[in-house]
């Protein structure tokens, strides 16, 4: 893991929080003690189960995943985070309790390590950012509820179509077994779904 020399004003991170979050250039500069750019290698663990989560991770480039492990060591993937996504264990940070999850880089990635103080101070300094953060949290709750609903109520094909809608650029970046893990189905079932969709187009 290395510090990354990136021009802040040219970064996706800067664009995201100034254009969507409403922060000014001066505010981003004031907040600079509370974030840092780092590059991490493929397969680097950013958080392990049992550890306290101290950062949220903004993906400048690359790809992350969060997952849990069952008693047999099998991975159950909860989320992917490509460019412009933020991933963290909010429950671990908010309740100051050990995480139940792992966060790992599945590509060589450039990330922004965001301290909790970044969000707190930005919300105090900018009403627009405070509203943006509240909307982001509500949207995250909605997405998580939708994901739970899909696992409970959708069939394999519907889950796969939902995955493609959520992550349109990941089909060629993520191995099939990982997609199957995220969908809660076997790789064999995923292969069958793909064949069915291909036949539907013929």
């Amino acid at each position: 893991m290395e510090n990354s020399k990136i021009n802040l004003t040219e970064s996706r991170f800067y664009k995201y929080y100034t254009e969507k979050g409403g922060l000014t250039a001066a505010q981003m500069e004031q907040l600079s003690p509370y974030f840092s750019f780092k590059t991490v290698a493929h397969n680097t663990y950013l958080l392990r189960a049992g550890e306290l989560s101290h950062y949220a991770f903004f993906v400048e480039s690359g790809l992350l995943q969060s997952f849990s492990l069952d008693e047999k060591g099998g991975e159950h993937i909860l989320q992917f985070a490509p460019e412009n996504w933020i991933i963290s264990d909010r429950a671990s940070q908010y309740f100051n309790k050990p995480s139940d999850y792992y966060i790992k880089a599945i590509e060589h990635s450039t990330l922004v390590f965001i301290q909790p103080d970044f969000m707190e101070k930005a919300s105090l300094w900018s009403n627009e950012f405070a509203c943006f953060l509240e909307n982001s949290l509500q949207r995250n709750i909605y997405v998580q509820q939708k994901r739970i609903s899909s696992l409970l109520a959708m069939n394999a094909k519907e889950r796969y179509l939902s995955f493609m809608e959520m992550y349109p650029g990941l089909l060629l970046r993520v191995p099939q077994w990982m997609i199957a893990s995220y969908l809660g189905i076997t790789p064999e079932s995923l292969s069958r779904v793909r064949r069915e969709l291909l036949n539907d187009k013929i």
Side-chain angles (χ1 to χ4, degrees):
M1 190 179 304
E2 300 177 351
N3 290 330
S4 182
K5 296 179 180 179
I6 290 181
N7 187 326
L8 175 61
T9 59
E10 296 177 357
S11 67
R12 284 189 170 101
F13 175 72
Y14 179 89
K15 184 176 181 181
Y16 183 84
Y17 280 117
T18 55
E19 294 186 0
K20 295 187 176 183
L23 294 175
T24 66
Q27 287 169 335
M28 287 293 288
E29 187 65 31
Q30 287 178 296
L31 289 163
S32 61
Y34 309 109
F35 63 85
S36 57
F37 289 84
K38 296 181 184 293
T39 56
V40 298
H42 174 233
N43 282 335
T44 297
Y45 282 87
L46 302 162
L47 178 69
R48 294 177 185 268
E51 297 176 347
L52 288 175
S53 175
H54 298 293
Y55 301 98
F57 305 101
F58 178 93
V59 183
E60 185 72 20
S61 64
L63 182 62
L64 307 182
Q65 63 159 331
S66 66
F67 63 94
S68 61
L69 293 178
D70 61 28
E71 294 179 354
K72 297 180 180 179
E75 285 190 15
H76 300 277
I77 296 175
L78 306 172
Q79 181 185 354
F80 294 104
E83 290 80 3
N84 273 8
W85 281 56
I86 299 170
I87 190 169
S88 68
D89 184 346
R90 286 195 180 96
S92 175
Q93 288 187 12
Y94 187 82
F95 297 109
N96 194 37
K97 74 178 195 68
S99 179
D100 294 323
Y101 307 110
Y102 297 80
I103 298 178
K104 184 172 78 170
I106 51 179
E107 292 179 358
H108 182 87
S109 302
T110 298
L111 310 172
V112 185
F113 285 54
I114 306 172
Q115 300 175 29
D117 283 350
F118 176 93
M119 302 298 181
E120 293 175 11
K121 292 185 181 298
S123 296
L124 288 173
W125 296 346
S126 169
N127 289 333
E128 185 175 350
F129 182 86
C131 291
F132 164 79
L133 184 61
E134 175 64 21
N135 288 336
S136 296
L137 292 173
Q138 294 301 327
R139 185 168 62 250
N140 182 68
I141 292 171
Y142 166 76
V143 169
Q144 294 304 318
Q145 288 176 334
K146 188 175 180 181
R147 172 143 168 70
I148 292 170
S149 177
S150 74
L151 291 173
L152 294 174
M154 290 183 180
N155 60 37
K157 182 186 288 188
E158 290 169 335
R159 293 182 201 176
Y160 183 63
L161 291 172
S162 178
F163 170 84
M164 290 195 295
E165 181 181 356
M166 176 75 72
Y167 300 109
L170 292 195
L171 292 179
L172 298 179
R173 297 173 66 179
V174 177
Q176 180 164 304
W177 73 265
M178 283 190 176
I179 297 176
S181 173
Y182 175 85
L183 299 177
I185 61 178
T186 64
E188 293 75 19
S189 294
L190 179 56
S191 294
R192 186 183 68 250
V193 167
R194 283 177 159 173
R195 285 195 302 269
E196 290 175 359
L197 290 172
L198 183 61
N199 291 334
D200 289 343
K201 293 181 179 180
I202 298 176

